[in-house]
């Protein structure tokens, strides 16, 4: 199967696929496609896990991670722990195109974004406030701190006692409901590739936590001479293995995209057999594939594909 151009993205985020496809069809570059596709999810708040108003951290704030990579020039722009700016993928692209840098983080990334004309807004919504207060009421489960000594004088929150008392022995509770991300790959008819991600990360994370999504080679990777990949899932685990980079290198060495995706997932499984995660891969000829780690919270991984055969966003699993 090969019918360039091609857009693929993680999860059934159809509006994002359609936006990216539209960008390509109207003469945009693969970078435009990835930016516009991910930006659509940021506006639509796909699954509550992309963009504003989702995944409040331990203090109730939503922060965003995003990256975009040009597989021709190997330029990358990334932002992590971005605050108060809704269009994280846009800021990532501005880092790439308007600085000599690759990644900006936290408050300083937000100041940069404002200087670039992005509007500062509250990322909190009634829904994210509600998720946060339910979490407080439910004794802060899940939480992501280990070895916290109980301090009965404070309540839930950073280093709080409830967090310590209710800790599931360090066991993490990541699932499809607390944890998603858009990862997208675009390939034009000449085989030019770009990849990107956008996410609000992980609910109830420790403030300052950065996931895999903005990490080059972890969340996504693109090299127009080999292939492109994008990952989703438990970023704290997945980033230790650079699965997107690995998949691209396997394709460079001749693996077909499905096999490359499977190997990247297997590598992580060797150490974390029950991690939650999936990856999508494409090569320069427009062949694509995907793989996920089959666990109770992820029995089937759905992703979207648009190519010249379908000329529209099609759900695959
Ligand atoms: C993260 N990888 O921040 C992101 C979240 C995700 O499916 O992809 N969930 O860990």
């Amino acid at each position: 199967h090969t019918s360039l151009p091609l857009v693929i993205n993680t999860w059934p985020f159809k509006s994002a696929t359609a936006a990216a496809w539209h960008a390509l069809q109207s003469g945009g570059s693969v970078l435009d496609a990835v930016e516009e596709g991910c930006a659509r999810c940021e506006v639509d708040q796909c699954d509550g896990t992309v963009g504003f108003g989702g995944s409040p951290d331990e203090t109730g704030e939503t922060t965003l991670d995003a990256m975009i990579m040009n597989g021709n020039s190997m330029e990358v722009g990334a932002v992590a722990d971005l605050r108060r700016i809704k269009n994280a993928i846009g800021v990532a692209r501005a880092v790439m195109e308007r600085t000599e840098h690759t990644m900006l983080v936290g408050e300083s990334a937000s100041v940069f974004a404002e200087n670039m004309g992005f509007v500062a807004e509250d990322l909190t919504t009634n829904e994210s406030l509600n998720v946060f207060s339910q979490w407080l009421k439910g004794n802060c489960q899940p939480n992501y701190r280990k070895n916290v000594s109980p301090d009965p004088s404070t309540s839930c929150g950073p280093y709080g006692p409830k967090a310590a008392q209710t800790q599931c022995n360090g066991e993490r509770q990541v699932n499809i409901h607390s944890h998603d991300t858009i990862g997208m790959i675009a390939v034009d008819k000449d085989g030019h590739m770009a990849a990107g991600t956008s996410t609000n990360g992980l609910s109830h994370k420790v403030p300052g936590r950065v996931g895999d999504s903005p990490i080059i080679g972890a969340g996504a990777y693109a090299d127009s001479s080999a292939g492109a990949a994008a990952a989703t899932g438990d970023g704290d685990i997945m980033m230790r293995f650079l699965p997107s980079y690995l998949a691209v290198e396997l394709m460079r060495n001749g693996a077909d995209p499905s096999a490359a995706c499977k190997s990247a997932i297997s590598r992580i499984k060797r150490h974390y057999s029950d991690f939650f995660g999936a990856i999508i891969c494409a090569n320069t000829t427009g062949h694509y594939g995907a793989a996920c780690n089959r666990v109770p919270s992820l029995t089937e991984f759905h992703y979207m594909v648009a190519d010249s055969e379908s000329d529209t966003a099609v759900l695959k699993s």
Side-chain angles (χ1 to χ4, degrees):
H1 174 102
T2 166
S3 41
L4 293 172
L6 169 73
V7 171
I8 61 177
N9 62 264
T10 56
W11 307 114
F13 300 151
K14 189 175 179 181
S15 61
T17 329
W21 185 248
H22 178 77
L24 283 182
Q25 294 308 95
S26 40
S29 67
V30 284
L31 286 172
D32 297 332
V34 168
E35 182 185 356
E36 285 171 36
C38 292
R40 171 100 317 254
C41 256
E42 290 169 347
V43 170
D44 290 354
Q45 302 170 279
C46 286
D47 251 13
T49 58
V50 183
F52 69 104
S55 307
D57 69 15
E58 266 188 353
T59 68
E61 184 175 4
T62 294
T63 61
L64 306 180
D65 293 342
M67 69 160 275
I68 189 163
M69 181 162 191
N70 180 338
N72 284 357
S73 63
M74 305 307 283
E75 289 170 297
V76 181
V79 283
D81 191 23
L82 180 71
R83 311 172 71 183
R84 301 188 303 279
I85 310 285
K86 290 182 175 174
N87 181 206
I89 190 81
V91 181
R93 188 164 180 184
V95 171
M96 178 170 76
E97 292 182 343
R98 303 180 71 178
T99 79
E100 295 291 338
H101 302 311
T102 295
M103 178 183 276
L104 294 179
V105 304
E107 274 304 319
S108 309
S110 306
V111 170
F112 166 78
E114 282 188 71
N115 290 338
M116 290 293 130
F118 292 85
V119 185
E121 295 168 273
D122 194 351
L123 302 189
T124 302
T125 59
N126 287 338
E127 203 175 312
S128 68
L129 272 180
N130 192 38
V131 170
F132 179 59
S133 61
Q134 290 304 318
W135 177 71
L136 291 178
K137 277 193 213 139
N139 293 326
C140 316
Q141 285 191 343
N143 76 69
Y144 295 101
R145 294 175 182 276
K146 293 196 262 196
N147 309 320
V148 180
S149 38
D151 168 5
S153 64
T154 49
S155 69
C156 262
Y159 309 103
K162 278 194 188 160
Q165 285 158 9
T166 58
Q167 211 170 29
C168 315
N169 303 320
E171 204 181 291
R172 305 169 54 90
Q173 300 179 354
V174 171
N175 61 52
I176 196 161
H177 303 297
S178 69
H179 215 262
D180 277 332
T181 282
I182 183 159
M184 179 175 270
I185 298 167
V187 193
D188 70 15
K189 58 178 180 9
D190 302 315
H192 298 151
M193 312 187 98
T197 59
S198 183
T199 188
N200 51 33
L202 181 62
S203 292
H204 321 308
K205 62 193 175 188
V206 177
R209 179 265 188 188
V210 172
D212 60 325
S213 305
I215 306 299
I216 299 104
Y221 200 73
D223 180 341
S224 299
S225 67
T232 176
D234 184 351
D236 293 290
I237 298 296
M238 294 177 81
M239 72 160 85
R240 300 170 190 177
F241 300 88
L242 296 179
S244 293
Y245 181 74
L246 175 59
V248 169
E249 292 310 300
L250 291 168
M251 287 186 278
R252 190 192 305 283
N253 292 333
D256 75 70
S258 303
C261 283
K262 282 196 187 101
S263 299
I265 292 291
S266 305
R267 182 71 60 87
I268 305 170
K269 261 178 101 158
R270 275 193 220 163
H271 294 268
Y272 300 97
S273 58
D274 57 355
F275 83 100
F276 171 88
I279 186 166
I280 55 172
C281 297
N283 66 18
T284 51
T285 56
H287 291 88
Y288 61 84
C292 64
N293 190 24
R294 196 175 293 273
V295 288
S297 57
L298 185 67
T299 51
E300 251 194 346
F301 169 62
H302 297 281
Y303 64 105
M304 299 298 311
V305 177
D307 58 18
S308 58
E309 218 167 69
S310 59
D311 195 28
T312 185
V314 178
L315 184 69
K316 306 265 176 178
S317 60

